[in-house]
Amino acid sequence: MPATLPLFSQELSIPKCINPRDPAEAAIALRYVMMFWLAKAEQHLLKNFPMPELDLSLRGRCAGQAYLQVWRVRFNLQLLSENYEHFMLNVVPHELAHLIAFREFGRRIRPHGKEWTWVMEQVLGVPAKTTHQYDVSKSANQQYTYRCGCVEREHHLTIRRHNKVAQGVSYLCKYCRQSLVFAYKKSL
C-alpha cells in the first residue's frame, strides 16, 4: 500500500510578531508562514520542496523577489512590517509560487503566466495578483523631483534613476512627452 501524506490543515494561523521591523523576529515569522505554504504545495503535488533561503534586504517599491535557480526569496522588511497580515497571506505565497512553478514546469515559463497562476490559485488557493497596493512612500526613497512641460506636474525619481540622468539617460513625461528636468532634492 502506498504511503500517504497526512491531511493538511487548510487554515493558516499567522504568527504574532511583536516587532516585525526586527529582522530576527520577522525571519522567524516568515519561515513559519513559508512552511505552511510549502506544506500546502507538497500535499497537493505529492512532492517535497526545500525551505528557500530567506533574505530581508529588499528595498524600494518591490515587496518580494524569487531567485529561481538558487531557491531563494527576498522580502522588503519595511513593507512587511507595515502590511504584516496581508503580506503573509499574499506576498509570501506569490514568491513561493514562482519557485514552485519553476521547479514543476521548468525555466521557459512566463513569470506570471498560466503555470504560475495555476500554482497560486489551484495549489495554494490564493488569488493570482501580480502587484500589491502597499504605500511605498517610506520604502521607495524618491527624493529627487523633476519637472516636465506639464503645468504643476512633478515627477519623483529614485536615486538610481537620478544617477542614470546624470549619466546621460533621458526620461520623458508620459503625458506631454517632454524630457524631465531636475528641479530639487527633498531633504528627508
Side-chain angles (χ1 to χ4, degrees):
M1 186 166 168
T4 59
L5 295 173
L7 287 179
F8 183 72
S9 167
Q10 295 297 322
E11 215 136 322
L12 171 60
S13 175
I14 297 175
K16 298 285 184 218
C17 192
I18 304 298
N19 182 9
R21 292 181 196 277
D22 176 43
E25 281 189 52
I28 291 168
L30 280 165
R31 283 191 179 90
Y32 175 84
V33 171
M34 286 194 302
M35 285 189 324
F36 169 85
W37 293 116
L38 287 173
K40 196 166 185 176
E42 288 172 349
Q43 182 175 345
H44 189 276
L45 300 170
L46 301 176
K47 293 184 176 182
N48 291 321
F49 295 104
M51 178 64 75
E53 179 185 337
L54 177 61
D55 181 343
L56 296 176
S57 67
L58 192 58
R59 302 283 185 260
R61 298 173 178 266
C62 191
Q65 292 178 338
Y67 295 87
L68 308 177
Q69 277 86 5
V70 293
W71 202 258
R72 178 176 162 222
V73 288
R74 283 179 73 200
F75 292 115
N76 186 320
L77 189 59
Q78 177 77 35
L79 294 178
L80 165 68
S81 65
E82 294 172 357
N83 309 280
Y84 185 72
E85 186 171 328
H86 189 271
F87 198 100
M88 295 296 197
L89 295 173
N90 294 278
V91 176
V92 174
H94 176 114
E95 299 310 329
L96 292 177
H98 284 299
L99 297 178
I100 295 165
F102 174 77
R103 191 63 60 97
E104 288 298 299
F105 301 104
R107 72 171 92 171
R108 295 188 184 259
I109 62 173
R110 296 178 56 157
H112 297 114
K114 63 184 179 186
E115 299 86 356
W116 175 84
T117 301
W118 179 79
V119 171
M120 282 291 286
E121 293 176 348
Q122 302 303 314
V123 176
L124 301 178
V126 177
K129 294 183 180 175
T130 59
T131 58
H132 63 76
Q133 300 298 316
Y134 301 148
D135 176 11
V136 295
S137 59
K138 290 181 186 173
S139 61
N141 205 359
Q142 296 182 340
Q143 54 185 354
Y144 297 92
T145 303
Y146 281 72
R147 295 223 167 93
C148 61
C150 300
V151 177
E152 295 189 30
R153 184 179 306 274
E154 290 184 341
H155 304 271
H156 304 285
L157 300 184
T158 61
I159 182 91
R160 178 178 286 173
R161 288 196 174 195
H162 175 72
N163 288 340
K164 285 186 177 186
V165 170
Q167 295 170 356
V169 173
S170 180
Y171 291 100
L172 302 178
C173 171
K174 65 181 178 181
Y175 302 103
C176 70
R177 307 299 296 162
Q178 290 188 13
S179 289
L180 301 184
V181 178
F182 178 69
Y184 61 91
K185 177 184 176 184
K186 287 187 213 172
S187 298
L188 295 179

